[in-house]
Amino acid sequence: MVDVHPEHAQLQADRIYLGWQYILLHPDPGPPPKRPSPAEDEPVPEGPDPDLVRRERLQEDMLNRPVRIFRMFMLVVTVLIVGVAAAGYLNWSFALLGLVAAGGVAAICSYALLQGDRAVRYRIYEQQVRDDRKRQERDKELFRAQEEHAQRYREWQEVKDRHDRQLTWYAVAVPDEIDRIDVAGGTLPGWSALITLLGATRLYSGGHLTVLDLSEGAIAKDLIELARRGGDDPLVWVLPVDLPRLDLGATLKPEAFADVLAHVVSVSEEHRSTRDLSFDNAILERVLEVLGENATISQVTAALRALAQVGDPRDDLRYGLITAPQLERIGTLFGRGVSDRVVIERAWALESQLRKLETLGTQAVRLPPARLRVVSMDRQAGVFGNRVLGTYVATALTHILRQSPASDRPWYHTIIVAGADKLRGDVLDRLMDACETSRTGLVLTYRSLTPTVRERLGRGHAAVAFMRLGNAEDARVASEHVGTEHRLELAQLTETISDSLPGLNGGYTSTISQVEGREEAQGESRTDLAEDITESTEWGKTADKIGEKERVLQRSREFLVEPHQLQQLPTTSVIVTDATAKGRRVRLADANPAILTFPKTTLGELEDVREAVLSVDGPKEPEGDGDPPPNLGPPPERLDWRKQRQ
């Protein structure tokens, strides 16, 4: 077989890895053929068969019993004749005549008995000859059968060796021509596995990664440890604690900054129109014109308080948040009358929302370069406050991408937004467009398929991945998107490991607070991804146990993509759909990063490995036999290991 094992294969920078597909190209040949032996048949005795001799003797004795009795009678008559003649009662001439007659009859009977014994011996001899001939024929057949068995065993051994050597886990990847990956459904451990695998393969192939974790579940914790093991020093912000040290958006122009803040304010008003958003944007632009290019959020909120006539402006003057000329100009920005009341109401709403960002960038420090950046939300903070912070980070990233030139290499910089369903639809649209024009890879994960998510799922040149969908309606939508006619193969190992997966413990540890005094020089880069996964991630620490199960649990079952099946998917299972030149592909993958450490896992995709194997082994079946069977309805009844437990 072609040597495509992980220790010899390399990560391909133009592939986005989403998991591994369990496939057995060579089925198990079963037990070896049984060796034929004489013990299987009725044994052939070396000498005369004692039972046959006994039967023949018994039969001959039964047939000759009258002859023996008559011979005995003749002998008795002979003795009587001799006795009578000796006693003088009979003349010897008559006695001699009687002796001749009686003795002749006895002799004839003895001869008949002798002939019977000869006949018995001849029949026994004939049977022994036939047995010898049969033994020789059986020996020839046994020799011929053993030769055939040896040939069959050699063929079985070849098939068995091919089965034992074959790869069982093939990489499931999409080309970097894909602009975006939408992940629908899933649990926090499942997201952790997928993001760890996807992020690690991007980092170890030389890329950069930014993770915006809105899930509040610390799903990138293993990825951070893996990046450290690989020689990087990730930057981790935990908001709102690290908000003063977050300088994201500090270099934006006033127009872009006003747009970012307007979207942040609209986070709680899902049904607002574009007109309302532009009205907020106009207010903020005029306020920023008064404050200048380097205005901070605290200055903006002070100006909005003055515009909304909230509080005492002298306090803001005393703290230096606003100057007297600026206060005077703000008072004359808008006219008087009815419209003034509308401006006051909107300014008050803007100020109440932006107060959550007042500390943004107030303690910004010089950050060393890092290939992994993680911005997360503290689960102990308020839900609404986290949505405001997440919207700000996503919108600021969008404007930075819009101002950046297009990358020469697609997916060189990858952005992962976990819990993207917490963002407004227009925020997602702008982020998608910015990533597409700048050739930045984008991965969006959604917990539920809300109407906003359904409108954007798979839109454009995007791949869609479905994980476990607990909601029945979401499962129905997903099955219709994939197609219920597709038949997928699920490894027993995936289900077994999924049942034993622990939950996510702990949270992120901020590295921004420790950035001062830290050396900028990076450690020596490591390239052994499998070893790093084993030593630095929770998935890899159980790789030995998983690997032991992988050697035992080599069974799989098929299922159709139906709603109830999608609700029962294992935690790390991912159904990946993407469009290719040959048509749309639907594949089932396991996103468990520890699978990379298995000895029968390859970084090559199934199609490439199959072509390589056929090119070496040569086609052994007619063309088309290796293709998957067409979907002609429900699959036939198959063995299901789960039924054995009942």
Side-chain angles (χ1 to χ4, degrees), residues 266-283:
S266 64
V267 66
S268 63
E269 302 173 3
E270 186 68 29
H271 301 291
R272 291 189 63 204
S273 63
T274 306
R275 176 183 176 184
D276 297 330
L277 190 62
S278 61
F279 186 68
D280 292 344
N281 190 31
I283 294 177

Side-chain angles (χ1 to χ4, degrees), residues 381-437:
V383 176
F384 178 72
N386 284 347
R387 291 191 65 183
V388 170
L389 296 174
T391 303
Y392 172 79
V393 175
T395 311
L397 278 175
T398 300
H399 278 277
I400 293 175
L401 292 173
R402 289 168 63 91
Q403 297 175 5
S404 302
S407 175
D408 296 334
R409 171 181 157 189
W411 289 81
Y412 176 74
H413 181 209
T414 302
I415 297 177
I416 299 177
V417 182
D421 47 334
K422 296 182 179 180
L423 300 176
R424 283 171 52 98
D426 53 347
V427 175
L428 290 175
D429 292 338
R430 290 157 60 94
L431 180 60
M432 294 176 188
D433 296 339
C435 289
E436 183 177 356
T437 55

Side-chain angles (χ1 to χ4, degrees), residues 39-359:
E40 297 179 356
D41 302 324
E42 183 181 355
V44 180
E46 293 293 336
D49 187 0
D51 292 338
L52 176 64
V53 174
R54 181 179 58 82
R55 289 195 303 272
E56 292 292 340
R57 292 293 184 188
L58 181 61
Q59 181 180 6
E60 188 65 23
D61 289 343
M62 293 179 64
L63 292 175
N64 293 335
R65 183 175 299 175
V67 178
R68 285 193 178 91
I69 294 174
F70 189 70
R71 185 184 64 173
M72 182 62 65
F73 176 75
M74 289 295 103
L75 291 176
V76 171
V77 170
T78 301
V79 172
L80 289 176
I81 292 175
V82 172
V84 172
Y89 294 106
L90 183 64
N91 190 354
W92 281 102
S93 59
F94 290 103
L96 182 61
L97 182 62
L99 289 174
V100 171
V105 172
I108 293 173
C109 291
S110 299
Y111 181 77
L113 293 175
L114 181 61
Q115 289 294 102
D117 291 339
R118 289 179 179 177
V120 170
R121 288 195 298 270
Y122 182 76
R123 287 196 299 270
I124 294 175
Y125 172 76
E126 284 187 337
Q127 184 63 37
Q128 186 174 359
V129 171
R130 287 194 297 269
D131 291 342
D132 291 342
R133 190 181 303 113
K134 185 177 181 181
R135 184 186 305 109
Q136 293 176 359
E137 293 177 355
R138 290 191 177 185
D139 290 341
K140 292 180 181 180
E141 292 179 359
L142 177 62
F143 181 74
R144 185 165 51 253
Q146 289 177 345
E147 285 186 341
E148 294 177 355
H149 167 265
Q151 179 63 26
R152 291 197 307 269
Y153 187 85
R154 286 191 294 269
E155 295 174 354
W156 175 87
Q157 187 66 46
E158 181 181 353
V159 176
K160 183 66 174 177
D161 291 343
R162 187 184 300 116
H163 171 268
D164 293 339
R165 294 195 315 266
Q166 72 176 329
L167 302 169
T168 56
W169 295 96
Y170 299 85
V172 174
V174 295
D176 59 5
E177 300 172 357
I178 297 291
D179 297 327
R180 189 181 74 258
I181 298 175
D182 294 333
V183 181
T187 61
L188 293 181
W191 281 5
S192 175
L194 180 62
I195 290 177
T196 300
L197 172 62
L198 193 150
T201 52
R202 298 316 302 158
L203 292 175
Y204 276 69
S205 60
H208 291 250
L209 190 66
T210 299
V211 179
L212 175 56
D213 187 1
L214 305 178
S215 67
E216 303 178 8
I219 59 176
K221 191 175 180 180
D222 280 343
L223 178 60
I224 294 172
E225 297 299 326
L226 188 58
R228 289 191 181 125
R229 178 76 181 177
D232 194 16
D233 204 356
L235 296 177
V236 181
W237 289 267
V238 180
L239 303 182
V241 177
D242 289 331
L243 194 60
R245 301 178 182 87
L246 182 66
D247 58 352
L248 186 65
T251 60
L252 293 177
K253 296 181 179 180
E255 297 81 3
F257 195 43
D259 182 70
V260 171
L261 297 182
H263 279 83
V264 171
V265 172
S266 64
V267 66
S268 63
E269 302 173 3
E270 186 68 29
H271 301 291
R272 291 189 63 204
S273 63
T274 306
R275 176 183 176 184
D276 297 330
L277 190 62
S278 61
F279 186 68
D280 292 344
N281 190 31
I283 294 177
L284 291 171
E285 282 185 355
R286 285 177 171 82
V287 170
L288 289 174
E289 287 178 2
V290 174
L291 298 177
E293 293 186 358
N294 298 323
T296 63
I297 299 292
S298 57
Q299 291 175 320
V300 173
T301 55
L304 290 174
R305 283 192 294 271
L307 185 60
Q309 302 176 10
V310 179
D312 190 351
R314 290 176 296 183
D315 294 337
D316 295 331
L317 289 173
R318 185 168 58 253
Y319 293 131
L321 298 177
I322 195 172
T323 63
Q326 290 174 344
L327 180 60
E328 183 179 357
R329 289 187 58 189
I330 289 173
T332 59
L333 280 178
F334 298 92
R336 303 296 178 182
V338 179
S339 61
D340 188 38
R341 176 56 56 184
V342 177
V343 172
I344 290 175
E345 291 178 356
R346 290 312 306 163
W348 195 354
L350 292 171
E351 190 274 341
S352 64
Q353 301 284 5
L354 296 181
R355 287 181 62 184
K356 299 177 176 61
L357 300 175
E358 280 187 337
T359 59

